[in-house]
Amino acid sequence: MDYLELYCKTIIQPLEKMRDEILDKHYSSIFFKSKYKLLLDKIDEELMNKYNKFNDMIEEETKFQELLKDSVK
């Protein structure tokens, strides 16, 4: 398992799971709009940050692989 898969499994997937669980359990709750909506907004914001970082990591890995490939030639 490379570090990209590890990052996805340990950072992104737990946040996504937490978000889905909150939606499943509390969407119909009377407190959803006042309390859980704020929490979901924070989770969404953090997920976006993590997705952006993941995209940056993919770009860096691609560049690194290209450099390795060019140096072998």
Side-chain angles (χ1 to χ4, degrees):
M1 178 182 322
D2 65 348
Y3 73 97
L4 293 173
E5 290 175 17
L6 184 62
Y7 181 82
C8 189
K9 286 186 178 184
T10 59
I11 305 295
I12 294 176
Q13 288 179 351
L15 279 172
E16 290 174 337
K17 184 179 177 183
M18 182 186 344
R19 184 183 190 289
D20 291 343
E21 286 176 356
I22 290 171
L23 281 173
D24 287 344
K25 292 179 183 176
H26 304 290
Y27 186 74
S28 61
S29 168
I30 197 165
F31 299 110
F32 178 77
K33 289 185 180 180
S34 62
K35 304 293 180 191
Y36 295 109
K37 179 71 171 132
L38 180 62
L39 178 60
L40 285 173
D41 289 345
K42 296 282 185 186
I43 292 172
D44 286 342
E45 182 180 324
E46 191 61 31
L47 269 171
M48 287 307 295
N49 291 335
K50 301 302 181 191
Y51 289 143
N52 289 336
K53 182 175 180 179
F54 187 66
N55 285 338
D56 292 343
M57 291 168 65
I58 291 172
E59 287 178 19
E60 289 175 12
E61 178 66 19
T62 303
K63 289 177 184 178
F64 179 70
Q65 292 298 325
E66 288 175 6
L67 285 173
L68 282 177
K69 191 165 124 181
D70 289 344
S71 67
V72 172
K73 288 182 180 180

